[in-house]
Amino acid sequence: MKAAQTTDLSSIDNYALVELPAPQPGEGEVRIKVAACGVGYVDALVALGRYQVKPSLPHVPGAEIGGLVDALGPGVTGFAIGERVLAQAHGAFAEYAIASGRAVRRIPDRMSMSQAAGFRVNYGTALHGLRDRAVLKAEETLVVIGAAGGVGLAAVQIGRLLGAKVIGVASTEQKRAAVEQAGAGVTLDRAVEGWRDRLKAAAPSGIDVVFDPVSGALLQPAFRSLGWRGRYLVVGFAGGEIPALPVNLPLLKGAAVIGVDYRQFSAVFEAEAAASDLEELLAWVAKGELDVPVGRTFPFGEYREALKYALSGDGTGKTILVVDPSLG
Ligand SMILES: NC(=O)c1ccc[n+]([C@@H]2O[C@H](COP(=O)([O-])OP(=O)(O)OC[C@H]3O[C@@H](n4cnc5c(N)ncnc54)[C@H](OP(=O)(O)O)[C@@H]3O)[C@@H](O)[C@H]2O)c1
């Protein structure tokens, strides 16, 4: 099979297509014929060895896929060959990938392979962050920073589904149009000067929850704009820095700073809760209540461009590498 691989993480340009034997599923594992692979900001950081978890070498990027069940390892039951699934895999910039049977889910007929490939982490993070950690209630006001990005757009949609009034922050008009289409009632730019005044005009009675995957220059202005018992979700650092927050601010607001880490939630500490969330999210898709936008798609041969684009922050929604377009 073809796979995009490198032994040198110093540049995306070091990745090359190589011929590898198709991987064999071990005990409890499923081999999946990859249709599409999600390419998030984190995948690009991992591909460059710049993420907190360093990959082993040689490295084949790609972790989230939509595809078809191709072979079952010993002990796996409940799946049929050829079933349409999404999965958390490894080495998925390839024609075949291996996933633990526990990380494979059948997908609704109406969900495309590209939608499936960008689903689990972004929507799982949004639901865990907003409902479980922030306890967001209907009619509360939610501000999503980086709202046009992969996890940001998911947070806008989930916030809306939970009945909140959503304000989305994004840097360009084109991004703000996508954020409005995803369900934000109001959008704002991210120019710091006068931002709090523009926010106040948009939400005169204050804001309850902030979902922030950027942690950039808006962190302090957004925190200072929270109302009493506000909740600030620290989701990521797409801004490239880890800023400080004076600890008097949470005290003055009776507010909470809450860390959200879907990887540890789903894979280490609360796998059952994460699995139940995923079932619920897929049920919303099946009922047509959640329509997953697909970001820019790249054909398999353009895996380097896909990684560079995912790192740029220019996209709307999740970037997708289409490995086999014939699979839907
Ligand atoms: N905690 C978790 O479990 C979890 C789960 C998923 C993702 N994340 C984190 O969330 C962050 C966003 O991930 P994503 O996949 O949604 O990324 P993305 O699609 O690239 O979106 C990031 C957004 O951040 C904004 N941004 C502001 N400054 C930026 C900069 N210097 N470089 C790049 N983007 C910048 C951009 O929007 P504007 O230009 O419109 O501001 C962009 O739309 C990452 O740090 C990722 O690690 C965390």
Side-chain angles (χ1 to χ4, degrees), residues 41-42 125 149-151 170-171 175 190 213-214 235-238 260-262 313:
Y41 184 79
V42 166
T125 303
V151 76
S171 56
K175 285 182 171 186
R190 64 163 154 100
V214 178
V235 181
F237 306 99
V260 177
D261 186 347
Y262 188 70

Side-chain angles (χ1 to χ4, degrees), residues 39-42 45 51 121-122 125 145-152 169-172 175 190 213-214 234-240 260-263 309-315 317-318:
V39 194
Y41 184 79
V42 166
L45 288 184
Y51 192 60
V121 172
N122 284 342
T125 303
I145 298 176
V151 76
V169 182
S171 56
T172 68
K175 285 182 171 186
R190 64 163 154 100
V214 178
V234 178
V235 181
F237 306 99
V260 177
D261 186 347
Y262 188 70
R263 188 186 65 78
Y309 190 69
L311 200 59
S312 73
D314 290 340
K318 183 111 173 184

Side-chain angles (χ1 to χ4, degrees), residues 1 3 20-34 37 60-74 76 85-104:
M1 68 163 188
L20 297 175
Q24 295 305 316
E27 179 85 30
E29 291 181 335
V30 178
R31 183 171 69 203
I32 293 166
K33 184 157 175 48
V34 180
C37 182
V60 178
E64 267 200 279
I65 55 176
L68 303 183
V69 173
D70 187 67
L72 303 176
V76 180
V85 293
L86 62 73
Q88 193 68 14
H90 44 87
F93 273 28
E95 290 172 304
Y96 296 89
I98 297 291
S100 159
R102 288 193 303 275
V104 182

Side-chain angles (χ1 to χ4, degrees), residues 169 188-200 216-222 225:
V169 182
L188 293 177
D189 62 52
R190 64 163 154 100
V192 177
E193 192 162 343
W195 189 83
R196 285 192 68 193
D197 295 332
R198 294 195 294 284
L199 178 63
K200 198 160 189 184
L218 290 181
L219 183 127
Q220 281 215 25
S225 303

